[in-house]
Amino acid sequence: GAGDVGLIVPSDMGVQISVIQGAGSVIAPGFTVVEGNYVNEAFDTASLVMLIAVDIGTGDLTVLQVP
């Protein structure tokens, strides 16, 4: 579909986001792209991880981390 998506994730949990996107951009401060996925700094060492899949036709994805 069309529209912007916002996600708020905990910064102390490992997070990996897989994005399928037509037109738009991903705004994810503190995340790096590894093998096509966005991962936060805690991903490699956290005891808990969250795997998120986002499919956006048109729109931006904004990801914010909170303590």
Side-chain angles (χ1 to χ4, degrees):
D4 296 335
V5 174
L7 296 174
I8 299 172
V9 297
S11 59
D12 59 347
M13 179 179 281
V15 178
Q16 175 181 294
I17 304 170
S18 230
V19 181
I20 298 171
Q21 189 171 32
S25 57
V26 176
I27 303 152
F31 283 77
T32 56
V33 178
V34 176
E35 296 180 12
N37 297 308
Y38 292 82
V39 296
N40 67 351
E41 290 182 21
F43 187 73
D44 289 330
T45 58
S47 58
L48 292 174
V49 296
M50 182 183 308
L51 306 175
I52 301 170
V54 180
D55 187 347
I56 304 173
T58 303
D60 295 336
L61 170 65
T62 303
V63 183
L64 300 174
Q65 298 186 84
V66 294

